[in-house]
C-alpha cells in the first residue's frame, strides 16, 4: 500500500460577472493507491470494453425489432460515459453490431448468444433466489432497498425482471415491503432464514479442505511487511459475515474481521468477483460497514485489489483470479465470454482494416515499402507495450460519415469480401 501526496489546484470564482476573477487555492490531498498488478489491470481493461458493449446490446434489445436509430444511440452515449460519435465506436465491433438503413442492430451471431444467455438465465432461477437470499442475510435487518439492489444486480447476474420473476416465485423466502408507498422506498424483505445459506465462501472452502476458516493471501513473498500484517490479522478468529454485527465492539479486531469477511462474501456472490467501491459504499448502513471503507480495503492488499482504472474505483477479490483469468466461472460468465470473443474478433478485423488503409495511404504518398514495414513493426511493438487496444475515436469510419474511407465496414457484403481477401474466409 502506497501513500501519495499531490498538490491540487482549485479555481474559486470571486466575481459573479461573465468574466469572473479567480482565486487560486492549493490544497494537499492524500491519495491512497495500491501497487498496480498488470494482470488484474488487464482483466479490468477487457471488462470495461465488454461492459460498454453489453450495455449497448441491452439498449438495442429494448427497441422495436431490436433496432435503434443511430441518432438515438448517439444521445444515449452520454449515459455510457462515452465521448465521440456512436458510429465510430460501433464500427470497431462489426462482429457484434451492423448498420441497416441508418439503424443499428445485432448481428446473427450476437442474437444467437442472446438466446443462449436467456436460456441459461431461465435455468438459474434457484441460484438467483439463493444469491438474493444471501444478500439480504448480510444486512442486519434482512431488508434491502430495491433501488440499491438494482445498482449491483448486473454484477450478481440477476435478470432485469428479477423483481417480478424471482421474488413472487419464492413467497416462502421473500416479500415486497413499502411502508411509505413511494416507489423509491420499495424494498425486499427476507421472511425465512435458511441456515444452509448462512455459510460464507470462506467457511465452505474450509469445510471442503477440512481446515479452520481463514482468508487466502495472494501476495508475493517480497511484500514482507504486508505479509506480516496479514498473519497478524489471521491470528484473530474468523467472524461470519452472517452473524449479528451489533454484538461486536466498534473498532475492534473482531469487527474488522467481520467487515473484511462481509466484503469478501459479497464479492464472492458477484459474477466477476469485483464491484465498484462507490456502489459498495451505498450499502454501508445496511451492512454495518465503516465510513472509511477505502481504508479497510487498502489495509488488506493480500485479500483485495483496489484499482482506479478509468477513474472508477473498483475492488476485486484477488483469490478469484489466476493471472488475468477468472478462476471459477459462473455459467453466465461462460456465455458472456463468448460475447467477448466475438467482440475481440470484430475489433481485430477493424484494426486489420485500418492497418491496410494506412499502408495504402503511405504507398500513395510514395513512402518506400521498407519504411512502411518499419513503421508497422514500431506500431506492433507499441501495441504490445500498451497491452490493450486503444478505444480512441478516429477519422476512419463507415459510409455516410466522413466519407467512405473503410468501404462500408458495417455492410455485411463488404465484410465478406474483406474476409475473403485477408483471411480467405467468408466471415460467416
Amino acid at each position: 500500500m502506497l501513500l501519495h501526496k499531490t498538490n491540487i489546484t482549485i479555481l474559486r470564482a470571486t466575481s459573479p460577472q461573465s468574466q469572473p476573477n479567480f482565486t487560486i487555492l492549493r490544497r494537499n490531498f492524500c491519495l491512497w493507491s495500491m501497487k498496480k498488478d498488470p494482470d488484474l489491470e488487464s482483466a479490468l481493461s477487457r471488462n470495461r470494453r465488454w461492459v460498454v458493449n453489453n450495455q449497448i446490446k441491452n439498449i438495442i434489445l429494448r427497441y422495436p425489432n431490436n433496432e435503434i436509430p443511430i441518432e438515438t444511440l448517439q444521445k444515449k452515449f452520454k449515459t455510457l460515459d462515452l465521448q465521440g460519435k456512436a458510429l465510430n465506436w460501433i464500427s470497431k465491433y462489426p462482429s457484434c453490431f451492423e448498420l441497416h438503413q441508418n439503424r443499428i442492430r445485432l448481428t446473427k451471431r450476437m442474437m444467437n448468444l442472446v438466446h443462449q444467455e436467456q436460456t441459461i438465465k431461465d435455468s438459474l432461477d434457484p441460484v438467483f433466489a439463493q444469491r438474493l437470499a444471501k444478500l439480504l442475510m448480510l444486512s442486519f435487518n434482512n431488508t434491502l432497498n430495491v433501488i440499491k439492489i438494482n445498482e449491483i444486480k448486473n454484477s450478481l447476474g440477476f435478470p432485469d425482471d428479477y423483481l417480478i420473476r424471482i421474488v413472487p416465485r419464492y413467497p416462502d423466502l421473500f416479500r415486497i415491503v413499502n411502508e411509505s408507498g413511494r416507489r423509491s422506498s420499495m424494498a425486499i424483505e427476507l421472511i425465512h432464514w435458511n441456515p444452509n445459506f448462512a455459510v460464507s465462501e470462506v467457511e465452505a472452502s474450509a469445510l471442503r479442505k477440512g481446515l479452520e476458516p481463514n482468508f487466502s493471501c495472494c501476495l508475493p513473498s517480497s511484500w514482507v511487511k504486508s505479509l506480516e500484517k496479514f498473519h497478524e490479522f489471521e491470528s484473530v478468529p474468523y467472524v461470519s459475515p452472517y452473524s449479528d454485527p451489533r454484538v461486536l465492539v466498534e473498532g475492534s479486531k473482531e469487527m474488522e474481521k467481520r467487515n473484511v469477511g462481509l466484503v469478501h462474501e459479497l464479492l464472492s456472490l458477484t459474477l466477476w468477483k469485483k464491484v465498484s467501491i462507490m456502489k459498495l459504499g451505498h450499502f454501508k448502513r445496511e451492512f454495518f460497514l465503516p465510513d472509511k471503507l477505502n481504508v479497510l480495503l487498502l489495509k488488506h492488499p493480500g485479500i483485495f485489489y483496489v484499482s482506479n482504472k478509468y477513474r472508477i474505483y473498483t475492488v476485486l477479490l484477488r483469490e478469484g483470479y489466476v493471472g488475468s483469468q477468472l478462476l471459477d466461472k459462473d455459467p453466465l460468465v461462460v456465455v458472456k465470454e463468448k460475447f467477448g470473443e466475438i467482440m475481440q474478433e470484430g475489433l481485430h478485423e477493424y484494426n486489420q482494416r485500418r492497418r491496410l488503409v494506412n499502408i495504402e495511404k503511405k504507398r500513395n504518398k510514395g513512402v518506400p515499402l521498407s519504411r512502411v514495414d518499419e513503421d508497422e513493426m514500431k506500431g506492433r511493438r507499441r501495441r504490445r507495450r500498451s497491452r490493450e487496444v486503444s478505444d480512441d475515436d478516429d477519422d476512419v469510419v463507415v459510409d455516410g460519415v466522413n466519407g467512405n474511407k473503410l468501404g462500408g465496414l458495417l455492410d455485411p457484403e463488404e465484410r465478406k469480401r474483406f474476409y475473403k481477401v485477408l483471411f480467405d474466409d467468408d466471415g460467416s
Side-chain angles (χ1 to χ4, degrees), residues 255-381:
M255 179 60 89
E256 181 181 357
K257 194 85 172 188
R258 177 260 173 194
N259 291 339
V260 170
L262 190 144
V263 177
H264 183 285
E265 181 68 1
L266 181 60
L267 292 175
S268 298
L269 293 175
T270 64
L271 297 180
W272 303 97
K273 314 306 176 192
K274 72 177 186 69
V275 73
S276 159
I277 294 180
M278 181 185 70
K279 293 180 179 179
L280 180 61
H282 293 166
F283 293 89
K284 284 190 293 187
R285 184 175 63 85
E286 291 83 354
F287 290 163
F288 246 65
L289 289 171
D291 290 333
K292 296 182 178 179
L293 184 57
N294 59 330
V295 175
L296 174 72
L297 300 174
L298 290 165
K299 190 177 178 181
H300 300 279
I303 302 172
F304 307 120
Y305 178 72
V306 177
S307 170
N308 64 341
K309 191 82 171 177
Y310 304 109
R311 294 176 295 178
I312 300 174
Y313 279 92
T314 303
V315 56
L316 183 146
L317 192 60
R318 281 188 181 270
E319 67 184 55
Y321 285 78
V322 175
S324 63
Q325 299 300 317
L326 191 63
L327 189 57
D328 295 321
K329 297 180 180 179
D330 187 275
L332 274 176
V333 171
V334 175
V335 71
K336 290 176 185 296
E337 283 190 339
K338 292 180 181 178
F339 171 31
E341 291 171 3
I342 293 179
M343 186 185 79
Q344 287 300 113
E345 176 188 313
L347 189 58
H348 173 72
E349 173 189 331
Y350 172 82
N351 288 332
Q352 289 287 346
R353 194 70 172 262
R354 286 181 60 192
R355 184 180 68 85
L356 294 178
V357 169
N358 290 334
I359 288 176
E360 187 62 28
K361 282 183 179 179
K362 291 180 180 180
R363 285 175 177 167
N364 292 338
K365 290 180 179 179
V367 178
L369 290 179
S370 58
R371 173 70 180 278
V372 172
D373 294 337
E374 182 182 344
D375 291 345
E376 176 64 18
M377 290 302 297
K378 288 181 179 179
R380 288 181 181 177
R381 286 194 294 268

Side-chain angles (χ1 to χ4, degrees), residues 27-91:
R27 296 180 182 176
N28 288 328
F29 287 83
C30 291
L31 303 179
W32 290 88
S33 65
M34 189 174 285
K35 185 176 181 181
K36 290 189 181 298
D37 185 313
D39 288 331
L40 296 181
E41 290 291 319
S42 176
L44 290 170
S45 175
R46 289 198 311 270
N47 190 256
R48 162 66 176 172
R49 292 192 293 269
W50 180 90
V51 167
V52 170
N53 284 324
N54 189 62
Q55 290 174 325
I56 294 174
K57 178 200 73 176
N58 292 336
I59 290 173
I60 293 173
L61 292 175
R62 295 189 188 106
Y63 276 75
N65 301 320
N66 298 330
E67 295 182 342
I68 182 172
I70 188 63
E71 297 83 3
T72 305
L73 182 61
Q74 180 66 58
K75 293 176 182 177
K76 292 184 176 293
F77 251 44
K78 292 181 180 179
T79 64
L80 301 177
D81 196 26
L82 291 176
Q83 297 178 352
K85 295 182 178 180
L87 269 179
N88 285 21
W89 179 277
I90 292 296
S91 67

Side-chain angles (χ1 to χ4, degrees), residues 44-192:
L44 290 170
S45 175
R46 289 198 311 270
N47 190 256
R48 162 66 176 172
R49 292 192 293 269
W50 180 90
V51 167
V52 170
N53 284 324
N54 189 62
Q55 290 174 325
I56 294 174
K57 178 200 73 176
N58 292 336
I59 290 173
I60 293 173
L61 292 175
R62 295 189 188 106
Y63 276 75
N65 301 320
N66 298 330
E67 295 182 342
I68 182 172
I70 188 63
E71 297 83 3
T72 305
L73 182 61
Q74 180 66 58
K75 293 176 182 177
K76 292 184 176 293
F77 251 44
K78 292 181 180 179
T79 64
L80 301 177
D81 196 26
L82 291 176
Q83 297 178 352
K85 295 182 178 180
L87 269 179
N88 285 21
W89 179 277
I90 292 296
S91 67
K92 298 176 184 180
Y93 304 97
S95 297
C96 301
F97 312 106
E98 60 186 18
L99 182 64
H100 175 68
Q101 296 179 354
N102 204 36
R103 303 172 76 88
I104 298 296
R105 65 186 183 186
L106 301 178
T107 61
K108 290 182 179 180
R109 294 176 66 189
M110 276 297 299
M111 286 304 300
N112 288 336
L113 275 185
V114 169
H115 296 320
Q116 289 182 35
E117 183 178 6
Q118 188 57 51
T119 301
I120 291 175
K121 283 186 175 181
D122 291 341
S123 68
L124 292 178
D125 280 359
V127 176
F128 295 145
Q130 178 177 339
R131 201 171 289 169
L132 177 58
K134 291 172 75 73
L135 183 68
L136 295 172
M137 292 166 73
L138 290 174
S139 65
F140 72 91
N141 61 353
N142 301 332
T143 304
L144 286 175
N145 184 277
V146 170
I147 292 178
K148 291 188 177 183
I149 296 177
N150 287 344
E151 290 184 1
I152 60 172
K153 68 180 177 66
N154 290 331
S155 298
L156 296 168
F158 292 168
D160 290 337
D161 59 349
Y162 78 97
L163 195 60
I164 59 176
R165 170 176 154 185
I166 305 297
V167 176
R169 190 171 294 182
Y170 296 89
D172 57 326
L173 274 178
F174 315 112
R175 72 176 177 184
I176 302 294
V177 294
N178 194 339
E179 297 178 357
S180 69
R182 295 193 303 270
R183 185 177 180 181
S184 60
S185 62
M186 184 184 297
I188 303 177
E189 180 185 6
L190 183 79
I191 57 177
H192 173 68

Side-chain angles (χ1 to χ4, degrees), residues 209-259:
K209 299 175 183 177
L211 301 172
E212 291 295 319
N214 270 318
F215 296 107
S216 298
C217 182
C218 306
L219 287 178
S221 57
S222 58
W223 288 42
V224 178
K225 291 185 178 180
S226 294
L227 287 171
E228 289 177 353
K229 291 180 180 179
F230 175 79
H231 293 312
E232 180 183 349
F233 175 71
E234 281 299 271
S235 65
V236 180
Y238 179 79
V239 180
S240 172
Y242 296 103
S243 60
D244 189 348
R246 290 169 290 191
V247 302
L248 301 175
V249 178
E250 188 69 28
S252 65
K253 293 183 178 180
E254 289 76 16
M255 179 60 89
E256 181 181 357
K257 194 85 172 188
R258 177 260 173 194
N259 291 339

